[in-house]
Amino acid sequence: MTITGDREAWLSGQPGCCTKDAPFPSRPWRMILLGAPGVGKGTQAKRLCGDLGACPLSTGDVFRAAKTIDESEQTEAIRQALQTMRGGGLVSDDLVIDLVRERGHCLLCGHGFLLDGFPRTIHQAQALDKILDELGVELDAVLNYTLDEEEVVARLSGRRICRTCGASFHMTFDPHPGDGQCGHGGPCELYQREDDKPESIRVRLQAYHEQTQPLEEYYERQGLLCNVSAEGGPDEVYTRTMDALRFRM
Ligand code: AMP
């Protein structure tokens, strides 16, 4: 079965492969992006995927896509997950692991993948190791973006998203250029993600320090961790990212 639209199989969880315009890369890159919310993983993921041919697979995007489904069609588990997400907390390990397991075909895809936002706990990382092992797939690297906490808060609280095309802007560092110029060719309505509001940011950062940061050591021990400073603009960070990956090419 073929599903139309890049990442549609990931977002919808239906079996089958997406139709992607780009040809298969000479080798699939399979990586995880780590780092506090707001360090710019999504921006780097888009560029990396453009150059390496991989798909950006974000668990947060799966939940945001689920939000657009009519409430009567949402399962109780998804309704609870969306409620947790609004407050900035972490959705239960079991639900997220099931959701990724269901999408195992995306991890096998010849385009490769960049997992963004998963795993977020040691339990999730162990489950992912098991899923990858069963699929016979090995990770190439875990990119870990590092940034001072004050800067993280500034980046998150100024972030605004275009409701039509999903493009991300920043009120100070990357203001919106004006109507019709953010990729979809129509007027934009910018909004702030519910979990980018100050009370949710605090909860997300606490969850990151307590539950996700231990993954640095977990992947360091597997010899996969590549630390990349997320200071400065997207171009600078991207250059550092490619430098970090050169050793693994
Ligand atoms: P993100 O876009 O990655 O920042 O994810 C947005 C929100 O989705 C998070 O704050 C969590 O509520 C939920 N979420 C996404 N991925 C996970 C995960 N791997 N484990 C638990 N919750 C998650």
Side-chain angles (χ1 to χ4, degrees):
M1 179 185 173
T2 301
I3 298 170
T4 48
D6 194 4
R7 287 191 319 144
E8 201 50 43
W10 175 257
L11 295 177
S12 69
Q14 290 172 47
C17 292
C18 307
T19 49
K20 196 170 150 94
D21 277 344
F24 283 106
S26 53
R27 61 164 278 197
W29 279 87
R30 290 159 172 155
M31 296 193 280
I32 292 173
L33 304 187
L34 278 187
V39 292
K41 297 190 294 294
T43 307
Q44 294 301 313
K46 272 199 202 106
R47 300 177 74 156
L48 278 165
C49 289
D51 287 346
L52 304 178
C55 291
L57 303 183
S58 146
T59 38
D61 281 352
V62 174
F63 291 124
R64 281 183 284 278
K67 236 195 247 180
T68 63
I69 302 172
D70 194 82
E71 262 194 48
S72 61
E73 287 174 34
Q74 291 170 356
T75 62
E76 182 50 32
I78 284 290
R79 269 197 291 273
Q80 272 183 21
L82 296 179
Q83 181 66 29
T84 307
M85 188 179 164
R86 274 189 279 274
L90 289 190
V91 172
S92 80
D93 279 346
D94 287 350
L95 179 71
V96 189
I97 291 166
D98 282 353
L99 186 142
V100 172
R101 187 178 284 284
E102 244 170 50
R103 289 160 172 76
H105 50 284
C106 294
L107 304 176
L108 270 176
C109 174
H111 281 284
F113 60 78
L114 291 187
L115 278 171
D116 171 6
F118 181 88
R120 257 179 159 100
T121 64
I122 294 282
H123 185 57
Q124 292 180 17
Q126 289 165 337
L128 177 64
D129 279 349
K130 192 156 177 277
I131 294 171
L132 292 176
D133 199 41
E134 285 163 10
L135 295 171
V137 166
E138 282 189 16
L139 289 171
D140 293 299
V142 175
L143 290 167
N144 180 40
Y145 290 98
T146 58
L147 192 65
D148 276 354
E149 182 139 333
E150 265 174 44
E151 178 72 18
V152 166
V153 174
R155 286 193 191 179
L156 281 176
S157 48
R159 180 161 67 177
R160 296 293 181 274
I161 315 285
C162 171
R163 207 176 281 287
T164 314
C165 70
S168 179
F169 300 91
H170 193 281
M171 285 165 62
T172 316
F173 311 129
D174 180 21
H176 187 269
D179 278 359
Q181 291 187 39
C182 68
H184 63 265
C188 299
E189 189 200 337
L190 296 183
Y191 75 99
Q192 183 175 37
R193 275 170 47 169
E194 277 171 291
D195 57 353
D196 280 347
K197 302 204 165 132
E199 20 348 318
S200 301
I201 291 177
R202 274 190 294 278
V203 178
R204 287 166 76 196
L205 287 178
Q206 192 181 353
Y208 174 75
H209 291 307
E210 289 173 3
Q211 307 203 55
T212 310
Q213 228 163 4
L215 293 182
E216 292 175 11
E217 202 191 320
Y218 183 87
Y219 287 117
E220 175 86 81
R221 269 192 267 118
Q222 294 191 14
L224 288 168
L225 196 75
C226 301
N227 288 312
V228 179
S229 162
E231 295 262 345
D235 291 346
E236 261 176 86
V237 181
Y238 191 63
T239 304
R240 274 184 225 124
T241 304
M242 292 311 271
D243 285 345
L245 287 182
R246 243 175 272 291
F247 297 102
R248 294 174 186 263
M249 285 187 173

